[in-house]
Amino acid sequence: MANGGPVEHGYPHLRTVRESVTALYRRLSYDTVRTFSASVAPADVAFADVDDLHLGAQRVAREMVAHYRLPDARLIVGFREMTHAANVELTAGPEYFVELNDRFRDHRRDIGAALAHEVAHVYLHRLGLSFPSTRENEILTDTVATYLGAGWLLLDAFREDGASSQKLGYLTPEEFGYVLAKRALLFGEDPSVWFTSPQAYTAYRDGLARARRDAEQPPLRAAGWSGRLRYARDRRHAQGHAGAPEAGRETAYRFSADGHGPLRVSFPCPTCHQRIRVPVAGRVRARCGLCRSVLECDT
Ligand SMILES: [Zn+2]
Ligand SMILES: [Zn+2]
């Protein structure tokens, strides 16, 4: 896990974040994702500065191992001076050595956040789920930690005051907020009550607005009128009637016609981001085969 440097904002990794959510559903299945309906509770990972450092770190590690359902995994947590915030050695197990940066000795309340990320590495390693590059894997790890209910701690560890800032993980605060909001929308959860950091709360609100917009894109019926107008124009163009799409504008939906078949449109599922393909035929109800969302469309 990385450490330090200026805090990046916005959504620079959104594409990989969304690919991570799709990959998670593909690997786990909808039914297994549903079993993660309970998030790590704040009380389970509470760590006061008067608690014994090593016993406390082991206790929080056990909570994380239980959360990710890794019954036989044993984490051995140590502290040392290092550039990174934390690191885990991914071996065959069942013992995994996690190193935490020495500064956590004085920032014990953030040990849960660091372990949420490191134990997610162990979980993904056991699942055999990975992306080609190191950087993408770190984004996958943060996304999975957050989507499965442990990563809200990483967002809550983001704090800024006049003189200093702290952030853990590879996603920006807004991206953490976005993934957390996607989870909240799926499970009907309200994570905002757990935040101790005002900056984390702000980032969550931003991410929530962004996540809601995913469900308001054409051809979904919840799309706003301006989106629908553009969609109608793009559809006319695809049907070969009139009007070219505006240059340089990117849309999530794509029209396609293979040979003499009817025109079809594909778009990302607002929940799992797998692409859904339906015929252009007015009002259509589609069901995502991956996350089972029922999607009301006006194609
Ligand atoms: Zn990592
Ligand atoms: Zn889906």
Side-chain angles (χ1 to χ4, degrees), residues 1-2 86 117-118 121 137-138 141-142 170:
M1 189 171 0
H117 178 95
E118 300 308 324
H121 270 303
N137 262 320
E138 294 296 353
T141 305
D142 279 340
Y170 291 78

Side-chain angles (χ1 to χ4, degrees), residues 25 269-274 276 288-293 295:
Y25 272 98
C269 168
T271 300
C272 72
H273 298 281
Q274 169 178 252
I276 313 277
C288 175
L290 192 54
C291 76
R292 302 189 189 170
S293 300
L295 306 167

Side-chain angles (χ1 to χ4, degrees), residues 7 46 68 82 90 113 128 160 167 184 186 220 229 231 257 286 290-291 299:
V7 176
Y68 289 104
M82 58 201 280
L90 295 173
E160 276 178 325
K167 195 187 81 68
L186 181 73
L220 297 171
L229 275 178
Y231 179 84
L290 192 54
C291 76
T299 59

Side-chain angles (χ1 to χ4, degrees), residues 91-166:
T91 56
E95 286 185 335
Y96 297 92
F97 292 89
V98 178
E99 294 174 320
L100 297 182
N101 191 302
D102 261 340
R103 76 188 173 84
F104 285 109
R105 290 173 184 276
D106 305 314
H107 291 84
R108 296 182 190 187
R109 67 170 170 167
D110 293 327
I111 286 178
L115 291 175
H117 178 95
E118 300 308 324
V119 182
H121 270 303
V122 174
Y123 182 65
L124 290 169
H125 175 67
R126 289 268 189 109
L127 285 176
L129 178 57
S130 65
F131 281 171
S133 79
T134 307
R135 195 171 173 74
E136 287 172 318
N137 262 320
E138 294 296 353
I139 292 166
L140 173 70
T141 305
D142 279 340
T143 303
V144 166
T146 306
Y147 204 79
L148 297 184
W152 68 269
L153 290 157
L154 286 152
L155 176 54
D156 197 41
F158 168 53
R159 277 176 230 116
E160 276 178 325
D161 55 46
S164 67
S165 71
Q166 169 188 277

Side-chain angles (χ1 to χ4, degrees), residues 189-203:
E189 194 176 54
D190 180 12
S192 65
V193 295
W194 304 324
F195 292 130
T196 58
S197 155
Q199 291 80 24
Y201 180 77
T202 305

